Amino acid sequence: MKYYQRDLWVMLSPYLVGTLLLVALPASVTLYLAFHQYDALSKPVWFGTTNFISMFRDDVFVISLRNSAMFALLSVPLRVLGALLLALLLSQRRRGVGFYRVAVYLPTIIPDVAYALIWLWIFNPVYGPLNKALAVFGIDGPAWLVNRETALLAIVIMFLFQIGEGFIVLLASLQGVPHDYYEAAQVDGASAWQRFRLITFPLIRPWLVLLMLRDIILSTQSTFTPAFIMTGGDPYYATMFLPLVIYEEAYDRFRFGLASAMMVFMFLVLTGLLMMVYLVVRGWGYDDEQ
Amino acid sequence: MFKRKIASILLIVMVVSVLSATQLVGAASNSTQEADSLNRPSQQDATVSFMVSGDPAEKAAYETLVAEFEKVHPEIDIELIHVADDKDFRTRLGNDFAAGTPPDVFLINFRRYGPFVAKDQIEPVGPYLEQSEVIHPEDFYPIAIEAFTWTDGTIMCIPQNISNLVVYYNQDLFDAAGVAYPSNDWTWEDFLTAAEALTLDTDGDGTIDQYGVGIEPSIIRLAPFVWQNGGQVVTGGNTDPTGLALDLPEAREALEWFVALQTEHHVVPDAEAEAAEESESRFINGHTAMFFNSRRGVPTYREIEGFAWDVAPLPVGKERASILHSDAYCMASATENKDAAWTFIEYANSEIGQTVIAGTGRTVPSLISVAESDAFLDPMERPANSQVYLDAAEYLRIVPTSPTWIDIEGKVNAELEQAFYGNISIDEFLDNANERTAGYFSGAEID
């Protein structure tokens, strides 16, 4: 064995141990519990597929499934698009561009709980700055988190401001596009839109795909904090998302078996979704080898 | 050969890292043990962990309780675990049980202890109480003992208090509106008349600035009115309920009256106003005249300087009724030193113990002698009319204590909120509530 290989293993080992203990082990336990009835106080009892059947009889679970899907459908394209537009806008070296880049990234570094509390204030129907600002333009703002129609939208909106990571990735990818291409295109008389469509877009496509896949995963998890802190799933389950339902089943009601089954189901749906997206955009040239 | 080498190295690394981690932990706990042993007598003490929630004032009271106890019982060391927030407390408690390391003694509401009893996690204190020379069941208000008596007649936990639902009212706002203070036998009509007179658009801009009433749309707030109207919340009794009884005529009438407070009379903030500022905050800030709460609000309300306030009993319907809000000291069945844990529970519920806790203002003592003493009825402390909580003792009732009750509450409350804020009709509420809770009642199969 070569020395560098041994060193490699030594360096990797903390992560291997960590992954085993913190990911592989809990994941296997979850899979095991999904087929058991388990309240954490008595021994798990074999339950077959009952958990998987009974979760669909629970209205709240079905609602949360729909909400989570709706959230992903709205937030993923908007977030990627937002990051792309801002990256395009701020990719050129210009006066003050550094300031704007920092401003775009800043909301991303706010801790989730603090971020949720800030938005709880922003969305306050009477005293919140958002509705006060809307009132200046004569718009009677909705009672964001109180209305069943706007509550989910409000959570999507607050997530549109945490796109710093996608923004940085796209900014870097834009800077990886060779400048000669644009110059050549300009000589040929290509318009700005043509330059974007025929040069920029094809070259940053892999990054866009990567961001989309990442955001889909993120969208299933990131709803937990706002739902838990801001709404508790209200109004009338309008912001009840999968992670909160799973948490409540497990830690409020001690139905770890059912919660595990939901978790496994969520994992399967997510895997299916990612594979689907990957297949659809395969032609976009994303390749692991790149 | 090559692979085996990698595997062995990997194994060594794993073992080493696990070992060093345990050593670190070991070293850390050794040093704390050393530090502890310097401060404590060297003989082997019994340690009892005791978990409570509450604000800093309550924490201080429990610290006093523990200190007083340890003076009398130096051989028992109480490890006080304080969790500030109620909800966090319940999560922590559940997780500690799930992890197999519950606190030896903890406080819990009668609506929430059922699941723990059903899973044999609570050690019944009944047998200890029978042997006790310090406290006896008849020293306590019977309703509190009833709330913590299981189906088989065993007393499971020792109730700390008989807190109950009352009306907190802002005397300054009553004076300003020229409305007479609530009497001890005011009726639903009197209440509604006062509420309407106290709901005001003070600056004339078309939005209400002062509400007559703040009341949470939840089943424990609704229940007393159902009872007062001769109805029931559930069918089949409190230990083994078989279904909701809210669709029966008397209950339905009370439900309609309760919901109409918001939907029709608008004396309670609507959903938007409630989200803008919660009713309790409105009351504390002096722009809600009457607020429904148990005794738990008193420590906070005592800090109010802007206006005078007092408490009144619930307005009376066809009969008198209010709802018990009692917590009890329970012992986990996993407790190692049960005698030591009982000694502490016994002390905490003796006259001395309950007097210390009554000093917070948070509890209505469950011991009749302490409740009727100045420790609770202190004329120098607000509310002046604390006798209200004690007068209620004879007509207090409880909601079910069955293991799934708290799930039922959650489902019903979600629907009730919709009805209360006018999003669904009473019929829809009843249909939804019955349907969503059916699986949690006796006889239904649930996971």
Side-chain angles (χ1 to χ4, degrees):
Chain A
M1 194 209 291
K2 291 189 180 117
Y3 277 114
Y4 77 85
Q5 269 178 323
R6 198 182 66 194
D7 290 349
L8 191 67
W9 278 107
V10 169
M11 283 189 285
L12 276 177
S13 58
Y15 298 98
L16 281 173
V17 174
T19 310
L20 272 176
L21 288 180
L22 299 175
V23 180
L25 189 69
S28 353
V29 173
T30 304
L31 190 63
Y32 170 83
L33 288 179
F35 297 95
H36 290 77
Q37 186 178 32
Y38 181 54
D39 62 7
L41 297 172
S42 30
K43 286 213 159 60
V45 181
W46 172 252
F47 219 35
T49 52
T50 314
N51 285 333
F52 289 92
I53 296 162
S54 65
M55 69 191 188
F56 286 102
R57 284 206 212 106
D58 179 2
D59 289 353
V60 178
F61 174 76
V62 177
I63 292 171
S64 75
L65 200 61
R66 209 169 52 210
N67 286 345
S68 284
M70 182 55 86
F71 181 81
L73 207 66
L74 287 173
S75 77
V76 173
L78 287 174
R79 278 166 56 97
V80 174
L81 193 68
L84 176 64
L85 289 176
L86 284 168
L88 286 171
L89 193 69
L90 300 175
S91 66
Q92 307 292 330
R93 291 217 164 274
R94 253 175 294 180
R95 249 172 85 89
V97 78
F99 171 79
Y100 290 111
R101 287 178 184 174
V102 169
V104 171
Y105 195 78
L106 214 55
T108 310
I109 59 170
I110 300 173
D112 285 353
V113 173
Y115 194 70
L117 292 175
I118 291 168
W119 279 92
L120 193 59
W121 170 67
I122 293 176
F123 284 133
N124 185 306
V126 177
Y127 307 109
L130 180 57
N131 277 3
K132 279 194 173 163
L134 288 174
V136 172
F137 300 102
I139 302 168
D140 189 14
W144 295 99
L145 295 167
V146 183
N147 279 359
R148 279 157 73 178
E149 293 76 25
T150 52
L152 192 139
L153 195 65
I155 309 268
V156 172
I157 291 172
M158 72 179 260
F159 270 105
L160 293 185
F161 291 86
Q162 277 190 319
I163 50 172
E165 281 161 26
F167 168 73
I168 293 284
V169 168
L170 290 177
L171 204 59
S173 72
L174 283 176
Q175 265 148 22
V177 179
H179 221 261
D180 322 357
Y181 293 9
Y182 295 117
E183 282 166 10
Q186 229 157 0
V187 171
D188 290 341
S191 69
W193 167 245
Q194 281 173 322
R195 267 175 287 157
F196 172 76
R197 193 168 62 88
L198 299 169
I199 301 171
T200 317
F201 188 65
L203 286 172
I204 63 167
R205 253 185 337 213
W207 302 105
L208 288 174
V209 174
L210 177 78
L211 279 181
M212 250 167 68
L213 296 179
R214 174 183 162 281
D215 252 36
I216 290 173
I217 302 172
L218 205 65
S219 75
T220 59
Q221 305 166 342
S222 56
T223 50
F224 179 76
T225 315
F228 187 69
I229 303 266
M230 297 165 71
T231 63
D234 285 337
Y236 203 51
Y237 309 115
T239 59
M240 192 53 107
F241 299 103
L242 273 178
L244 186 61
V245 170
I246 293 172
Y247 171 85
E248 287 188 349
E249 285 300 336
Y251 294 99
D252 285 352
R253 304 192 193 101
F254 290 88
R255 294 182 199 120
F256 284 94
L258 185 61
S260 298
M262 290 175 175
M263 194 80 205
V264 169
F265 178 77
M266 182 170 108
F267 178 76
L268 290 177
V269 169
L270 202 57
T271 312
L273 202 64
L274 292 180
M275 281 173 65
M276 212 169 73
V277 171
Y278 186 73
L279 284 177
V280 167
V281 298
R282 216 180 164 87
W284 282 24
Y286 179 73
D287 189 336
D288 281 332
E289 307 298 310
Q290 231 167 13
Chain B
M1 177 69 199
F2 178 68
K3 271 189 182 162
R4 204 184 296 162
K5 223 171 177 179
I6 296 175
S8 57
I9 289 170
L10 196 65
L11 191 69
I12 291 168
V13 170
M14 277 173 71
V15 169
V16 167
S17 54
V18 169
L19 275 181
S20 56
T22 47
Q23 268 176 350
L24 276 176
V25 174
S29 60
N30 273 345
S31 61
T32 50
Q33 267 166 18
E34 273 160 23
D36 278 359
S37 64
L38 290 175
N39 299 331
R40 250 192 269 145
S42 55
Q43 82 245 30
Q44 195 61 42
D45 295 342
T47 303
V48 173
S49 57
F50 169 46
M51 193 157 98
V52 289
S53 65
D55 58 26
E58 284 172 66
K59 187 186 175 204
Y62 286 111
E63 280 165 353
T64 313
L65 177 71
V66 167
E68 291 297 318
F69 173 77
E70 286 176 347
K71 265 187 230 162
V72 190
H73 292 279
E75 75 284 3
I76 301 172
D77 180 31
I78 303 292
E79 186 199 338
L80 180 66
I81 307 163
H82 173 258
V83 183
D85 181 73
D86 270 353
K87 201 175 170 225
D88 293 344
F89 172 83
R90 294 199 295 269
T91 309
R92 165 87 188 261
L93 187 67
N95 284 321
D96 283 355
F97 268 104
T101 54
D104 298 325
V105 178
F106 56 96
L107 275 163
I108 194 166
N109 190 282
F110 72 91
R111 288 156 40 232
R112 299 180 184 277
Y113 87 123
F116 296 101
V117 180
K119 285 164 189 160
D120 289 327
Q121 297 298 311
I122 289 182
E123 179 74 18
V125 295
Y128 294 92
L129 184 61
E130 266 172 40
Q131 308 278 315
S132 174
E133 287 167 9
V134 184
I135 48 175
H136 312 283
E138 59 275 16
D139 301 339
F140 295 85
Y141 286 102
I143 185 71
I145 295 284
E146 186 195 324
F148 288 97
T149 303
W150 200 239
T151 34
D152 60 359
T154 315
I155 297 175
M156 300 306 296
C157 309
I158 302 292
Q160 178 208 44
N161 62 68
I162 55 151
S163 181
N164 51 73
L165 188 66
V166 297
V167 181
Y168 293 81
Y169 66 98
N170 181 326
Q171 293 171 315
D172 291 9
L173 294 185
F174 271 72
D175 291 341
V179 179
Y181 296 159
S183 70
N184 279 349
D185 42 26
W186 62 332
T187 62
W188 289 13
E189 289 76 16
D190 299 337
F191 165 73
L192 188 57
T193 311
E196 283 178 327
L198 289 157
T199 302
L200 301 169
D201 171 14
T202 48
D203 57 7
D205 66 351
T207 50
I208 296 169
D209 312 289
Q210 176 186 311
Y211 284 94
V213 183
I215 188 166
E216 194 185 273
S218 68
I219 194 159
I220 55 168
R221 295 285 188 266
L222 167 68
F225 297 104
V226 170
W227 295 327
Q228 287 190 7
N229 205 39
Q232 296 296 328
V233 174
V234 291
T235 51
N238 282 332
T239 50
D240 193 23
T242 51
L244 289 174
L246 295 173
D247 43 7
L248 298 177
E250 294 86 0
R252 190 187 164 116
E253 200 183 22
L255 172 68
E256 281 168 354
W257 180 82
F258 183 86
V259 168
L261 291 176
Q262 201 293 120
T263 55
E264 199 176 309
H265 306 295
H266 307 292
V267 294
V268 183
D270 61 16
E272 193 173 326
E274 184 69 23
E277 188 183 359
E278 288 176 3
S279 279
E280 183 165 23
S281 161
R282 286 174 188 269
F283 176 74
I284 292 167
N285 291 329
H287 37 260
T288 278
M290 295 181 271
F291 185 66
F292 285 75
N293 200 357
S294 68
R295 179 79 184 186
R296 67 171 304 163
V298 167
T300 311
Y301 307 159
R302 279 186 181 167
E303 286 168 24
I304 292 173
E305 286 171 2
F307 59 87
W309 60 273
D310 203 352
V311 290
L314 295 187
V316 192
K318 290 177 191 158
E319 51 189 295
R320 279 193 183 274
S322 185
I323 182 170
L324 181 76
H325 277 249
S326 180
D327 300 303
Y329 291 86
C330 295
M331 193 195 305
S333 39
T335 301
E336 270 178 37
N337 200 329
K338 295 198 170 72
D339 289 328
W342 167 254
T343 308
F344 176 66
I345 293 177
E346 186 182 51
Y347 182 86
N349 291 295
S350 66
E351 287 197 8
I352 308 170
Q354 286 218 353
T355 302
V356 168
I357 299 303
T360 59
R362 167 75 167 76
T363 64
V364 182
S366 57
L367 269 183
I368 300 172
S369 58
V370 180
E372 290 178 348
S373 76
D374 268 3
F376 176 67
L377 296 172
D378 186 346
M380 301 305 288
E381 284 282 13
R382 291 185 289 181
N385 201 7
S386 270
Q387 184 65 38
V388 162
Y389 304 92
L390 305 185
D391 291 343
E394 61 188 59
Y395 55 80
L396 284 181
R397 299 194 202 176
I398 57 174
V399 287
T401 53
S402 51
T404 54
W405 172 252
I406 208 69
D407 293 314
I408 295 169
E409 267 194 26
K411 300 283 179 190
V412 176
N413 289 351
E415 303 299 329
L416 184 57
E417 196 180 308
Q418 292 306 305
F420 194 74
Y421 293 124
N423 297 331
I424 57 174
S425 68
I426 298 285
D427 284 322
E428 283 170 300
F429 161 75
L430 290 169
D431 286 348
N432 294 353
N434 285 333
E435 192 191 317
R436 294 244 155 103
T437 57
Y440 294 92
F441 279 105
S442 187
E445 277 293 312
I446 54 145
D447 170 27

